[in-house]
Amino acid sequence: MNGHQKQRQASKQMIETALFALMEEMDFSQITVCQIAERADVARRTFYRLYRSKEDVMHQYFAGLCDAYQDSCQELAFYDLRRIAEDYFGFWHQHKEQLLLLHRCGMDRMLYYEMSRVSMQIVRMRMGDKALKGRLNLAEHSDLARSSNLAERSDLAGSPDLEKQMDCKELPGLAYFADYSVGGFVNLLHRWVQSGMQETPGEYAQKVSDAILQFSAMNAH
């Protein structure tokens, strides 16, 4: 990373920190770009070189978190629900303070779109060669929840970017599984955030996996 890139990254970090600080003090709708720039100690033109709006700051923040989560994922020998839950909730617990603030401000739903953006890549990474060669058998994964509410934001439906990411003609079942998986986990994360993230990541992962396996077993009989 050269000097210009370091300065750019530092400015983005200062702007994010300033916005979060202002969100602690006032409603998001009342925050102005001038206030953010002043709190971050950057020029207004610097803000607009990096972001289109204060909403763009939030979108890029979520995008960065989701990309970091994707980078943390490793290939699994099989779809281990408990292991995936532990990894997933463990990652987001590192950002507990920010998630709770975003929830109080009604901003955490942006996370749905960004997780959907990387869901295909995450599933491919988790499944490894099995998924890449099209040998994924969804019927084998009866330990997953039977339903999830994926389309809570109508403004995301039909998004060209989302459709492009989820297009998977060469693996015609994988896109459905990616939607199914990411929707369930995003809703579970939202439930955890709503409750104040009181449990540790391990405790919540255990609770989630036990419940899913229990009710999946009931449906199997």
Side-chain angles (χ1 to χ4, degrees):
M1 184 180 293
N2 59 37
H4 175 73
Q5 291 171 324
K6 288 181 180 179
Q7 181 58 49
R8 178 184 176 89
Q9 189 59 39
S11 296
K12 294 186 72 170
Q13 182 63 56
M14 290 189 293
I15 289 170
E16 284 181 0
T17 300
L19 179 54
F20 281 126
L22 289 167
M23 288 169 65
E24 293 274 13
E25 302 170 7
M26 65 183 72
D27 188 86
F28 184 81
S29 63
Q30 298 176 335
I31 299 173
T32 67
V33 169
C34 288
Q35 289 173 318
I36 298 171
E38 182 178 354
R39 182 67 65 93
D41 195 23
V42 300
R44 195 164 177 266
R45 64 178 179 274
T46 299
F47 179 96
Y48 281 114
R49 278 202 299 266
L50 299 170
Y51 302 103
R52 296 186 300 274
S53 63
K54 62 184 179 181
E55 289 81 10
D56 191 34
V57 178
M58 302 308 302
H59 278 295
Q60 289 196 37
Y61 172 76
F62 278 122
L65 287 183
C66 291
D67 287 342
Y69 173 67
Q70 179 185 342
D71 291 342
S72 75
C73 293
Q74 298 178 354
E75 181 179 339
L76 300 177
F78 61 95
Y79 195 92
D80 183 342
L81 177 60
R82 174 63 190 277
R83 163 70 185 284
I84 291 172
E86 287 182 344
D87 290 350
Y88 182 79
F89 298 122
F91 175 85
W92 291 109
H93 191 265
Q94 299 174 60
H95 307 280
K96 176 179 177 178
E97 182 179 341
Q98 291 88 347
L99 288 181
L100 292 176
L101 172 61
L102 292 165
H103 175 66
R104 291 197 300 272
C105 297
M107 303 294 293
D108 51 325
R109 286 299 182 183
M110 286 186 183
L111 184 59
Y112 163 73
Y113 173 78
E114 295 301 339
M115 282 301 294
S116 297
R117 180 180 60 83
V118 299
S119 63
M120 179 65 72
Q121 295 94 311
I122 290 172
V123 170
R124 283 173 176 264
M125 192 175 301
R126 287 295 197 188
M127 295 302 175
D129 289 341
K130 289 187 298 182
L132 293 175
K133 294 178 181 177
R135 297 203 303 266
L136 179 61
N137 182 0
L138 300 185
E140 294 176 354
H141 302 293
S142 60
D143 59 343
L144 296 176
R146 293 294 180 182
S147 64
S148 58
N149 184 11
L150 296 178
E152 294 184 327
R153 291 189 55 187
S154 59
D155 58 315
L156 297 180
S159 165
D161 290 340
L162 183 58
E163 290 175 356
K164 181 178 179 180
Q165 290 292 339
M166 297 309 295
D167 183 22
C168 193
K169 295 179 181 178
E170 75 278 14
L171 294 173
L174 190 57
Y176 297 111
F177 182 69
D179 272 344
Y180 173 86
S181 179
V182 73
F185 274 103
V186 166
N187 282 329
L188 287 167
L189 176 61
H190 181 61
R191 179 180 292 274
W192 193 29
V193 172
Q194 279 184 314
S195 68
M197 301 177 76
Q198 298 299 317
E199 303 98 333
T200 67
E203 290 169 344
Y204 193 62
Q206 183 70 58
K207 180 186 292 187
V208 165
S209 57
D210 286 350
I212 292 175
L213 291 171
Q214 176 187 353
F215 284 94
S216 294
M218 290 173 59
N219 289 335
H221 293 302

